[in-house]
Amino acid sequence: EGNSSGFEVPTLIKTVADSGDYFIGVDTNGLLYKITKADLLAGLSSGGISSGGSSQPTSFAVMPEDLILVSGVAQTLSSSGAYTTTGRVAFQDPSAINDSRKFTRSLSAGNYTLTILTNTGSQFGKVKLEIDGVLAFDDVDLYAGGISLNVPVGRTISINSSGSHEFKFTVYGRNANASDYYFSVQQITATKL
């Protein structure tokens, strides 16, 4: 009504944004712009990036759709109650040793608490994280006698320089009692200490 830009308000209502979705906003000059889901989430979780300098975010939240396949079969996205009670979960099926997924995020230098919301069970493997090709940790063993959904697994990581960083998760092995190499992801977050 009275909009001279020719922009039409969409009528589709979604409860979960897909990784390729954009959000429409209006800047302080009244101009329309679009922002990716990943950039919007990064800005919201960090409180935004200051407009006057080079500050970087001090936190992020990565959703299953944001993970990029590095090796192994394409990941499966599911909202089934058999795998998660919090929304969507990503996993590679069938699973195999060296299954790997990654994402890139900008962060300010410093120490962070990184939390993976995942599952544990008798079919789950051991996971390591490399940041920019350097091992951050390799002590996450997701084996358990019975399955547990939505388990937060936390580790402290160090970001040595401000800017964009690649986070690569790899299933590098399995517990002697485990029967497979699954690694599921509901969400990965990081918050500066």
Side-chain angles (χ1 to χ4, degrees), residues 54-58 105-110 112 132 158-165 192:
S54 62
S55 67
Q56 296 290 321
T58 56
R105 287 294 182 271
S106 291
L107 283 176
S108 177
Y112 288 78
D132 299 326
S158 294
I159 300 298
N160 296 324
S161 62
S162 295
S164 182
H165 300 280
K192 195 169 187 180

Side-chain angles (χ1 to χ4, degrees), residues 127-143:
V127 177
K128 69 179 179 179
L129 169 64
E130 295 168 286
I131 302 173
D132 299 326
V134 177
L135 183 67
F137 60 76
D138 64 355
D139 63 345
V140 173
D141 186 350
L142 299 174
Y143 170 80

Side-chain angles (χ1 to χ4, degrees), residues 12-32:
L12 176 66
I13 298 174
K14 295 175 87 174
T15 58
V16 176
D18 294 324
S19 61
D21 286 352
Y22 288 94
F23 296 89
I24 304 299
V26 179
D27 69 13
T28 56
N29 296 317
L31 299 174
L32 290 171

Side-chain angles (χ1 to χ4, degrees), residues 1-192:
E1 186 173 312
N3 186 343
S4 62
S5 71
F7 179 77
E8 292 185 32
V9 177
T11 57
L12 176 66
I13 298 174
K14 295 175 87 174
T15 58
V16 176
D18 294 324
S19 61
D21 286 352
Y22 288 94
F23 296 89
I24 304 299
V26 179
D27 69 13
T28 56
N29 296 317
L31 299 174
L32 290 171
Y33 68 93
K34 68 179 184 178
I35 185 170
T36 66
K37 172 188 169 183
D39 289 342
L40 177 67
L41 289 172
L44 290 173
S45 65
S46 70
I49 298 175
S50 70
S51 59
S54 62
S55 67
Q56 296 290 321
T58 56
S59 64
F60 65 69
V62 172
M63 306 309 287
E65 305 83 24
D66 299 325
L67 300 173
I68 300 167
L69 178 69
V70 176
S71 65
V73 298
Q75 71 180 4
T76 298
L77 294 174
S78 176
S79 57
S80 167
Y83 306 115
T84 180
T85 59
T86 62
R88 291 172 63 110
V89 62
F91 55 92
Q92 291 172 267
D93 189 19
S95 66
I97 193 167
N98 295 320
D99 279 353
S100 185
R101 293 170 279 174
K102 68 179 181 177
F103 61 88
T104 302
R105 287 294 182 271
S106 291
L107 283 176
S108 177
N111 293 322
Y112 288 78
T113 298
L114 182 126
T115 304
I116 308 163
L117 189 60
T118 185
N119 297 336
T120 60
S122 63
Q123 296 180 314
F124 289 81
K126 293 182 177 181
V127 177
K128 69 179 179 179
L129 169 64
E130 295 168 286
I131 302 173
D132 299 326
V134 177
L135 183 67
F137 60 76
D138 64 355
D139 63 345
V140 173
D141 186 350
L142 299 174
Y143 170 80
I147 191 157
S148 293
L149 304 180
N150 311 316
V151 177
V153 176
R155 296 292 184 270
T156 300
I157 60 169
S158 294
I159 300 298
N160 296 324
S161 62
S162 295
S164 182
H165 300 280
E166 181 184 87
F167 295 77
K168 179 181 164 188
F169 290 87
T170 303
V171 180
Y172 70 91
R174 67 181 184 197
N175 185 295
N177 297 317
S179 61
D180 218 326
Y181 298 94
Y182 282 100
F183 170 45
S184 64
V185 175
Q186 284 91 338
Q187 185 180 55
I188 301 170
T189 60
T191 305
K192 195 169 187 180

